[in-house]
Amino acid sequence: MGGHGSEPESIDYSVHEAWNEATNVYLLVILVSFGLLINKRKIMRIFALPPTVGSTPEPNFYDSLQKVRLRQQLEMYSLARKFDQQQGQTESVQLSME
């Protein structure tokens, strides 16, 4: 019985020790995550590339794409107006001839 009595205590102690280690790891992960969330801007500055001096910034791809699309729409509108004006002139000429 003496051997049995000491065995549960050693199991309890190892479980207790493992629980403490796991809790410490979880607390450490939570603290590191919290610190990273707070200092996100500082960390992003570390990994960001420094701006090159004297070079013009590259235009945003989507902005230039929108400008191209707008230019195409304006050209199509202009062509449509010219076509409508020509159709109106030919109709008036045909009407006057009749």
Side-chain angles (χ1 to χ4, degrees):
M1 285 272 223
H4 271 310
S6 65
E7 195 171 316
E9 289 177 12
S10 65
I11 291 174
D12 284 345
Y13 180 73
S14 64
V15 169
H16 183 68
E17 188 176 344
W19 177 257
N20 279 341
E21 289 178 13
T23 305
N24 290 340
V25 169
Y26 285 131
L27 283 175
L28 183 64
V29 167
I30 289 170
L31 289 175
V32 168
S33 300
F34 188 66
L36 289 176
L37 286 174
I38 289 176
N39 295 324
K40 184 178 179 182
R41 289 183 185 163
K42 291 180 183 177
I43 292 170
M44 291 305 290
R45 281 189 216 146
I46 293 171
F47 292 109
L49 293 174
T52 55
V53 179
S55 67
T56 59
E58 188 174 324
N60 189 0
F61 174 74
Y62 293 107
D63 287 344
S64 60
L65 194 64
Q66 285 178 342
K67 288 178 184 177
V68 168
R69 182 70 182 135
L70 181 61
R71 188 177 301 121
Q72 289 174 345
Q73 288 175 342
L74 288 172
E75 288 175 0
M76 291 302 293
Y77 177 76
S78 170
L79 290 173
R81 292 280 296 179
K82 287 180 183 177
F83 182 76
D84 287 343
Q85 287 176 355
Q86 289 176 355
Q87 289 297 320
Q89 288 175 357
T90 55
E91 287 175 4
S92 64
V93 168
Q94 288 174 355
L95 290 174
S96 63
M97 289 180 70
E98 291 178 359

